[in-house]
Amino acid sequence: AINAGQASLEPSGLKKIKSAIVNAKVTHTLYAAVAMALSLQLMLGAWLSHDLAMNHFLIEMAFGIGVTFLIGQLLKSLVVKPLYTASDKLKQMTEGNYFDWVSIGRTDEIGALFNSIKTTQVILGFEVINQQQITSSALRVKSALDHVTTNVTISNSDNKLIFMNKICRELFNEFGQNMASNGKAFEASDLIGTSLADFFPTDELRQIYSAKLDHGQSATFSSWGRTFKLTISPVYDAEGHYEGRVTQWVELTEELTIEEEFDQMVSAANAGDLSQRMEMDGKQGFYKRLSEQLNGLLEVNDRVVKDTVRVFSALAQGDLTQTIDASYDGAFGEVKTNANATVEKLTSIMSE
């Protein structure tokens, strides 16, 4: 497989082709040497023959040198230059350039070599592009997940953790610090490559994270005073092969705390105790606004009831001086109006 993240590669196929070029260059050198030796042998034979005149020898020697030179130039044009071209294309591929395709134009052995090089250029070029596209897509997904506010982990088909987004890394670092009291402190990075089945304290969660996930599941994880809802979804590729799972870790700690406080406050109100209030410490966003509104509602009810009790308690004691002076709206305003009207009417009766 080609690693698209590396610009310089040299697959084993390129080494074989380069070896063939080196061997061809050696063969060419041997051929030239043999040709030169034969030429010199012929010239030496002519010189040693007493039947030939010296000028005849010089002519044959000049002819032999010329033939050798022409053969060398022919070999250079037909073999050496194409081999240098092939070597240059192979060098370009080792540097990551696969699309300066070699021009074939021949049907001999050199043409076959060029055809092999071009095939290698095409195959490796498009494979690298494909890997780069896959890598680019994966990086975009990673960047997107790192900017979401939900904790996300991804495990592969072997149930090994391969990714956690930024906010989730912070969460697991907190978990690791909480484990320090037990002598088992860890960092989020320590979990990459391990199974989350070893992380969970319950058999149910260990079972879910140690087996293949056939369908989506939900579970609850509680530890160190915090509670999370886990939404676990299987991941399949285009051919339907199981690739692993994605888990969303949604924290329910604050929500459950709100629910518990609300239940206690309503139970107290039903029992006539309007003094209970929602805790505000540590609350943010929606839960903070909800707690403020619930506290405001109870505060108004508590004041109306206390004012009404104060007025009617005074009436019961014969005191007609007490009235409700605070400003109330709606139904609470009607209670105020009716209570004050009662006091006024009794005062009028008593004056007659």
Side-chain angles (χ1 to χ4, degrees):
I2 302 298
N3 185 349
Q6 297 180 351
S8 179
L9 353 144
E10 187 169 358
S12 58
L14 298 187
K15 295 181 180 179
K16 294 180 181 179
I17 298 176
K18 291 175 72 175
S19 176
I21 292 178
V22 172
N23 292 335
K25 292 173 70 175
V26 172
T27 303
H28 157 64
T29 303
L30 291 175
Y31 285 162
V34 170
M36 180 64 75
L38 289 175
S39 177
L40 291 176
Q41 184 178 8
L42 289 173
M43 289 186 291
L44 181 61
W47 182 72
L48 293 175
S49 174
H50 297 289
D51 297 332
L52 298 174
M54 180 60 68
N55 60 348
H56 190 190
F57 163 73
L58 293 175
I59 293 173
E60 287 189 350
M61 184 173 67
F63 178 77
I65 293 173
V67 169
T68 302
F69 175 77
L70 291 175
I71 291 174
Q73 291 300 310
L74 184 62
L75 287 173
K76 181 178 179 181
S77 175
L78 297 179
V79 179
V80 177
K81 286 185 177 180
L83 290 179
Y84 275 124
T85 298
S87 178
D88 180 62
K89 298 301 180 184
L90 293 175
K91 184 175 183 296
Q92 289 181 8
M93 281 192 282
T94 64
E95 295 172 350
N97 181 6
Y98 301 96
F99 295 97
D100 186 11
W101 291 345
V102 65
S103 177
I104 300 176
R106 296 173 61 166
T107 59
D108 56 4
E109 290 82 356
I110 296 296
L113 175 63
F114 280 2
N115 185 64
S116 297
I117 291 175
K118 186 172 183 178
T119 300
T120 303
Q121 286 177 312
V122 173
I123 293 175
L124 293 182
F126 284 104
E127 184 175 349
V128 166
I129 287 179
N130 184 55
Q131 292 297 325
Q132 288 174 339
Q133 290 174 341
I134 293 174
T135 300
S136 177
S137 177
L139 289 174
R140 288 196 298 270
V141 171
K142 178 183 180 299
S143 177
L145 289 175
D146 274 337
H147 288 83
V148 300
T149 56
T150 301
N151 300 291
V152 177
T153 59
I154 300 177
S155 299
N156 63 17
S157 57
D158 295 324
N159 299 316
K160 303 298 183 183
L161 183 65
I162 59 174
F163 172 79
M164 60 176 69
N165 64 348
K166 182 178 179 181
I167 190 172
C168 195
R169 287 195 297 271
E170 296 173 358
L171 172 65
F172 274 90
N173 281 330
E174 290 182 27
F175 287 158
Q177 294 173 4
N178 291 331
M179 290 289 288
S181 59
N182 298 329
K184 298 180 180 179
F186 64 85
E187 294 184 359
S189 57
D190 298 333
L191 297 179
I192 300 297
T194 67
S195 174
L196 285 177
D198 301 327
F199 170 79
F200 291 111
T202 65
D203 292 337
E204 177 188 4
L205 288 172
R206 282 196 290 264
Q207 176 62 31
I208 292 175
Y209 279 84
S210 60
K212 176 183 175 181
L213 190 66
D214 295 322
H215 58 275
Q217 297 189 38
S218 295
T220 301
F221 166 63
S222 297
S223 190
W224 304 296
R226 302 175 71 173
T227 301
F228 295 85
K229 178 184 178 182
L230 307 184
T231 302
I232 314 157
S233 305
V235 177
Y236 296 90
D237 64 14
E239 286 74 34
H241 300 134
Y242 179 67
E243 291 291 328
R245 75 189 68 211
V246 176
T247 303
Q248 298 180 65
W249 303 61
V250 178
E251 185 161 9
L252 303 178
T253 307
E254 192 170 9
E255 179 181 337
L256 294 176
T257 300
I258 290 286
E259 289 181 4
E260 183 177 356
E261 290 181 8
F262 181 75
D263 289 342
Q264 292 175 354
M265 188 175 66
V266 171
S267 296
N270 287 333
D273 180 6
L274 299 179
S275 63
Q276 299 293 316
R277 298 291 184 270
M278 303 288 289
E279 292 289 340
M280 298 303 301
D281 292 342
K283 289 187 173 67
Q284 296 179 349
F286 169 75
Y287 294 117
K288 180 180 179 181
R289 293 194 301 273
L290 177 62
S291 296
E292 289 174 344
Q293 291 170 358
L294 288 173
N295 286 345
L297 176 62
L298 273 178
E299 182 67 29
V300 171
N301 278 272
D302 189 33
R303 284 192 285 110
V304 168
V305 170
K306 286 181 177 179
D307 277 344
T308 305
V309 168
R310 174 177 56 80
V311 170
F312 283 97
S313 293
L315 288 177
Q317 300 297 322
D319 182 1
L320 301 179
T321 63
Q322 298 294 316
T323 58
I324 299 177
D325 298 322
S327 176
Y328 297 110
D329 298 321
F332 298 137
E334 292 181 10
V335 171
K336 169 187 174 180
T337 299
N338 292 333
N340 288 342
T342 300
V343 172
E344 184 179 354
K345 184 65 174 178
L346 290 174
T347 300
S348 176
I349 293 173
M350 295 298 293
S351 298
E352 291 179 355

